[in-house]
Amino acid sequence: MSLITRRAALVTGAGLLLAGCEQLNNSPSFRRVLAAAEGLTHTTQRLLLAGQPLAREFTKADLSPSFRSNGTQHPNTDAYWADLRSGFRNWRLRVDGLVDHPLELSLPELRRLPSRTQITRHDCVEGWSAIGQWTGAPLALLLKAAGVQKEARYVVFHCADNIGQTGTPAGDYYESIEMADAWHPQTILAYAMNGSLLPVSHGFPLRLRVERFLGYKHAKYVTRIEVVKSFASINGGKGGFWEDHGYEWYAGI
Ligand SMILES: Nc1nc2c(c(=O)[nH]1)N[C@H]1C(S)=C(S)[C@@H](COP(=O)(O)O)O[C@H]1N2
Ligand SMILES: [Mo]
């Protein structure tokens, strides 16, 4: 390849990149979320004043040298494998259910939103803990942009992994939290861990961090966020995969 053709190829590459950025700016969901960022601090501040305490936050010196991965370490579904093969180009986080404006956000869009970074302790019900740093988009931001309807009470997180043996919907991992915890400032959709891209074993591309709750509430591989009035009709009806298998729904620490 001559120098000139190579340069032409580089220029075309840059052009494509730019076109990609412009497309980002044009996504209605993305624009809606950016607009919602204004005044959000005020909304979450009000929650704190209403008596919702913050989970303890730590410093980098406290980070655990190793952070265990638990439950699914690599989702087994065809959909997840297809997303891996295509570099998650077609992957979208959906926010729907009892909202005025359902959202669809790509990974680059999520990463460009205002973010929060927190160093917290993860406590698994099986008796181990680890301190890690998480960066992600506040769930409150997405909820504000989507416009939660009055009768909504819970937020359900649907995941890409099926952990039952049967491959039926009953084996799909899912979780739910109540609205006040969803608006909490430390409730984020994390795409980074300890300053790097989220590893597959810890929930790539997106996992929930809902501090002040036990490990199983922290849904990994989140693909869809559904705002509901009741979770009685979802899978086993108890609000989560482990809840359907006997764990308590309210898993506060
Ligand atoms: N989708 C999905 N989320 C999940 C699980 C899982 O198996 N699948 N396991 C849960 C449990 S019990 C724990 S303790 C944490 C573990 O998170 P980690 O793998 O990042 O340590 O993820 C929780 N979220
Ligand atoms: Mo756990």
Side-chain angles (χ1 to χ4, degrees):
M1 201 198 273
S2 77
L3 187 63
I4 291 181
T5 0
R6 210 162 32 220
R7 282 196 63 184
L10 279 176
V11 170
T12 320
L16 280 176
L17 265 179
L18 279 180
C21 290
E22 274 160 24
Q23 247 174 0
L24 267 182
N25 290 332
N26 286 337
S27 148
S29 290
F30 182 67
R31 280 204 313 255
R32 196 175 274 288
V33 183
L34 273 193
E38 282 172 44
L40 183 71
T41 322
H42 187 73
T43 312
T44 54
Q45 209 61 36
R46 262 208 317 263
L47 259 176
L48 288 180
L49 290 175
Q52 285 255 8
L54 284 172
R56 177 168 172 202
E57 294 195 17
F58 298 81
T59 68
K60 281 196 169 154
D62 304 311
L63 288 175
S64 298
S66 78
F67 196 117
R68 254 182 74 167
S69 161
N70 206 32
T72 300
Q73 326 245 316
H74 193 301
N76 52 357
T77 54
D78 291 346
Y80 192 80
W81 278 106
D83 279 333
L84 272 181
R85 273 194 300 271
S86 66
F88 284 80
R89 211 169 304 131
N90 303 318
W91 181 96
R92 294 290 182 277
L93 171 72
R94 280 191 290 149
V95 182
D96 58 17
L98 298 176
V99 296
D100 293 335
H101 311 282
L103 305 173
E104 282 202 1
L105 295 158
S106 69
L107 269 180
E109 286 177 328
L110 284 164
R111 292 187 189 124
R112 285 173 44 162
L113 294 175
S115 69
R116 186 177 207 282
T117 295
Q118 58 204 30
I119 300 180
T120 53
R121 199 185 67 205
H122 179 96
D123 296 304
C124 174
V125 74
E126 289 168 16
W128 58 272
S129 300
I131 293 176
Q133 184 194 57
W134 306 97
T135 302
L139 177 59
L141 184 51
L142 304 189
L143 292 179
K144 189 171 178 232
V148 172
Q149 293 172 5
K150 264 210 197 75
E151 66 271 33
R153 288 194 59 194
Y154 306 99
V155 178
V156 179
F157 303 86
H158 298 277
C159 306
D161 55 325
N162 184 283
I163 76 168
Q165 298 303 307
T166 56
T168 63
D172 288 346
Y173 202 95
Y174 76 107
E175 256 304 337
S176 60
I177 59 177
E178 69 190 356
M179 207 46 84
D181 297 313
W183 285 95
H184 191 276
Q186 286 170 318
T187 302
I188 62 172
L189 291 156
Y191 45 75
M193 176 189 193
N194 295 342
S196 305
L197 207 61
L198 197 60
V200 167
S201 59
H202 291 289
F204 183 85
L206 198 68
R207 68 99 49 87
L208 175 68
R209 291 302 308 171
V210 52
E211 313 301 346
R212 302 176 307 134
F213 288 88
L214 284 172
Y216 61 88
K217 284 277 170 192
H218 299 240
K220 304 193 279 188
Y221 319 106
V222 173
T223 56
R224 177 180 171 215
I225 294 173
E226 187 188 7
V227 177
V228 300
K229 186 175 168 184
S230 156
F231 43 70
S233 63
I234 299 172
N235 294 353
K238 299 280 187 349
F241 176 84
W242 286 115
E243 287 84 339
D244 288 340
H245 291 78
Y247 283 37
E248 65 163 338
W249 178 81
Y250 182 82
I253 295 173

